[in-house]
Every structure is written in C-alpha cells, then in structure tokens.
C-alpha cells in the first residue's frame, strides 16, 4: 500500500480549499473593511457623543432619550413611513402591469422593455433635476396640462402638502422598470399548462389572473416587496436633489436626518443612534414579512 496516497489526498484537499478562499477573500476583505467594521463602529457610536474632532465620550442612552423628545426625528420617521407606504404598493402594481403588458411575443417588444428599463440606469441627479422642471408650479408642463382640467393646480415640490407625493411619483417612475424585469422573469416561468387547464375549466382572463398568475408570482412578489421596503427606508438621493428635506420638514426622511446630524451638525453619536433605530425598524419589518410569507406558504 502506498503511504503517500493519504498525504497526496490531504494536499489536494488543502489546495482546493486555498483556491476557494482565494476567490472569497477579496470580496470578504472589502465587506469587512468598508461594511462590517463601520457598522460595528456606528453601533458603538450610538451610545457615545462624538464630533470627529475630539475623543468619543460615552453617554449611555442619552442619545436615545434625546431622540424621544426630538420633534424632527418623529417628523422624519412619519415621512419615511409615508414615503414607503406610497412607493411600495404603487411600484409593485405598475411593475406587474408593465410586465404583463410586455410579456408578449411581438416584433420589437425588446425595444419597449428597454425604454421602460432605461430610467433605472439613468443618472438619478439628472432624473431629479428634469422632474423638478416638469413639476415647476407655474412653468412646468405637468401643471400646464392639469390647468385644462382643474382650476387650482398642485404646488408640487414648492408645497409642503405635495412635495412628498412628487417624490413618490418620481421614485415609482424611475424604479418600476427594474422590478418589471423581475416580474417578467416570474411570468415567463409560469407553465402554460396552468392557463390551458384553467381555460378548459371555464376561467376567464380575470379569474386566471387571480387564481394562476398571482399565486405563481408569490415568490417574485415577496422578493420585490422586501427589496422595495428596504430601499424605501433608505431613500436619500431623491430627497436631497429635489427638495433638500423641504419645504419646511415635509420631506425630511430618516436617512436625510442622519445626514444632517452627522455631516452638517457634526453629531455623529446622535446620527448613529438614529441609524440604529432605523436598522431595528427595517429588521423588524423584514422579519415580520418573512414570517407572514412562511405562514402563507404553509397554508
């Protein structure tokens, strides 16, 4: 018996492991340095007071106690939920509607799919600037069109009542093309036999949509809802470019509040405390969504 064979097998196994780690290590190193360590540092700062110029000072739960008394925080929290509740269902409905409309074997259909996907890859700053011009209260094409039907047109981004709906409209318009692609993939994965069987049972298009399409798209819909919810709670760029949190505090969301506290007021400890609360909120909502989906799958 060759005693060198076990050693050779061990060396081959070690070699395979080293090759595997060589592929994982660069990505893991980037995650460790630029994501995990800053997150842990941010959690530590949530219980400290730090302006980046002096040494951090441990203040225990003072930042969270101040947060409970901070009107701006509660307004930002309300605005974040307002934005999320507006964006998530509207984007899902528009994306599914587009996907069903474009899920056809028609000549040139790829061009239309590209057109609807294009806003997602367009510079968000350019999108926000163009939509700000479109939403201009007096010279914007949107209000010029609406004047043909109503006497009092919205003020959009110059109005505390209409600024958030304006941001929601832009967000839905920009993102629905991306989620349309996901729904398209889900629709094309539904077996045609299901539609044929339901048609033989006398089901019309609407019944097929309710009893075949919607149940078959449940995994896709769940993924889309999770991603939309997380991204909605992280909204910052559209608010920054379109309204800067205004007028007043009508579009001030949590991430924009974190930005102001950290990089305008240099209160990194308080900003980290708000980040910690935002993390807990998103985690809780995500866990609840997973539990609801799990119960539905078992039903």
């Amino acid at each position: 018996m060759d005693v060198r064979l076990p050693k050779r097998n061990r060396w081959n196994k070690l070699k395979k492991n080293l090759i595997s780690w060589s592929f994982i290590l660069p990505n893991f190193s980037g995650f460790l340095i630029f994501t995990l360590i800053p997150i842990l540092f941010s959690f530590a700062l949530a219980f400290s007071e730090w302006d980046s110029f002096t040494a951090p000072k441990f203040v225990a739960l003072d930042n969270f106690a101040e947060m409970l008394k901070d009107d701006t925080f509660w307004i930002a929290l309300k605005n974040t939920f307002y934005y999320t509740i507006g964006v998530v269902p509207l984007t899902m409905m528009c994306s599914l509607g587009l996907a069903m409309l474009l899920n056809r074997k028609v000549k040139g259909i790829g061009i239309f799919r590209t057109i609807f996907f294009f806003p997602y890859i367009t510079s968000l700053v350019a999108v926000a600037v163009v939509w700000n011009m479109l939403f201009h209260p007096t010279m914007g094409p949107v209000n010029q069109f609406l004047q043909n039907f109503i006497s009092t047109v919205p003020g959009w981004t110059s109005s505390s009542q209409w600024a958030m709906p304006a941001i929601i409209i832009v967000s839905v318009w920009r993102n629905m093309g991306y989620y349309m692609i996901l729904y398209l993939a889900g629709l094309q994965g539904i077996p045609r036999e299901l539609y044929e069987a339901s048609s033989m049972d006398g089901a019309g298009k609407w019944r097929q949509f309710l009893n075949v399409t919607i149940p078959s798209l449940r995994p896709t819909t769940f993924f889309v809802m999770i991603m939309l919810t997380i991204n909605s709670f992280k909204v910052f760029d559209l608010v920054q470019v379109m309204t800067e949190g205004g007028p007043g505090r009508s579009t001030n969301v949590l991430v924009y509040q974190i930005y102001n506290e950290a990089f305008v007021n240099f209160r990194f400890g308080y900003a980290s405390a708000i980040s910690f609360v935002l993390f807990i909120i998103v985690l809780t909502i995500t866990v609840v969504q997973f539990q609801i989906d799990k119960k539905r799958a078992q039903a």
Side-chain angles (χ1 to χ4, degrees):
M1 179 179 180
D2 191 353
V3 296
R4 293 174 299 177
L5 188 59
K7 292 183 178 180
R8 183 180 300 175
N9 290 338
R10 286 196 297 267
W11 167 246
N12 289 336
K13 185 177 180 180
L14 177 61
K15 185 178 178 180
K16 290 180 180 179
N17 289 335
L18 290 174
I19 293 174
S20 301
W21 278 104
S22 68
F23 283 103
I24 298 173
L25 189 60
N27 185 55
F28 180 76
S29 299
F31 170 77
L32 179 68
I33 296 171
F34 298 108
T35 303
L36 183 59
I37 293 177
I39 287 175
L40 296 177
F41 184 64
S42 175
F43 285 163
L45 277 182
F47 303 93
S48 306
E49 183 180 302
W50 187 50
D51 59 3
S52 78
F53 301 107
T54 58
K57 177 184 176 183
F58 180 72
V59 294
L61 298 176
D62 289 357
N63 287 327
F64 297 95
E66 180 181 352
M67 196 185 307
L68 295 175
K69 304 175 184 177
D70 188 357
D71 290 340
T72 304
F73 165 77
W74 290 108
I75 291 174
L77 180 63
K78 182 191 73 173
N79 289 338
T80 303
F81 274 99
Y82 178 13
Y83 174 85
T84 302
I85 292 171
V87 164
V88 173
L90 281 176
T91 306
M92 292 176 66
M93 287 188 292
C94 292
S95 301
L96 178 57
L98 281 175
M100 296 188 66
L101 187 64
L102 299 177
N103 187 32
R104 302 172 184 271
K105 292 182 180 180
V106 181
K107 186 177 181 180
I109 195 69
I111 297 175
F112 292 99
R113 292 174 182 174
T114 303
I115 290 172
F116 283 107
F117 181 74
F118 188 74
Y120 183 77
I121 60 175
T122 305
S123 168
L124 188 137
V125 174
V127 167
V129 170
V130 170
W131 273 98
N132 263 346
M133 292 188 290
L134 294 175
F135 279 135
H136 193 279
T138 56
M139 297 181 292
V142 173
N143 276 359
Q144 289 180 1
F145 173 76
L146 291 176
Q147 284 174 354
N148 297 320
F149 306 97
I150 56 178
S151 57
T152 304
V153 293
W156 299 116
T157 54
S158 62
S159 166
S160 58
Q161 180 182 0
W162 287 98
M164 186 60 79
I167 293 176
I168 291 173
I169 291 171
V170 177
S171 180
V172 172
W173 175 84
R174 181 176 184 268
N175 294 321
M176 64 182 182
Y178 170 75
Y179 295 103
M180 173 200 72
I181 299 297
L182 299 181
Y183 272 122
L184 266 175
L187 286 171
Q188 293 175 1
I190 301 176
R192 299 304 307 174
E193 292 81 1
L194 295 178
Y195 291 104
E196 293 172 0
S198 62
S199 178
M200 293 178 63
D201 290 337
K205 295 295 183 182
W206 178 246
R207 298 300 300 178
Q208 288 180 354
F209 175 75
L210 292 178
N211 297 328
V212 178
T213 305
I214 294 298
S216 300
L217 287 177
R218 189 181 60 81
T220 304
T221 300
F222 175 69
F223 176 77
V224 169
M225 183 173 59
I226 289 290
M227 297 303 298
L228 273 172
T229 303
I230 294 174
N231 290 332
S232 296
F233 273 94
K234 297 192 304 178
V235 63
F236 168 78
D237 34 23
L238 271 179
V239 173
Q240 169 67 19
V241 179
M242 291 188 68
T243 63
E244 296 184 350
R249 295 178 291 182
S250 60
T251 58
N252 185 32
V253 291
L254 281 178
V255 176
Y256 191 76
Q257 177 69 10
I258 292 169
Y259 166 79
N260 279 330
E261 294 293 346
F263 301 106
V264 177
N265 301 327
F266 295 102
R267 303 180 63 199
F268 290 95
Y270 186 56
S272 297
I274 300 176
S275 301
F276 184 81
V277 171
L278 178 59
F279 169 77
I280 295 299
I281 292 173
V282 174
L283 178 63
T284 302
I285 292 175
T286 304
V287 170
V288 170
Q289 288 176 324
F290 268 98
Q291 292 299 321
I292 293 174
D293 183 73
K294 184 178 179 180
K295 289 181 179 179
R296 286 179 178 175
Q298 293 174 349

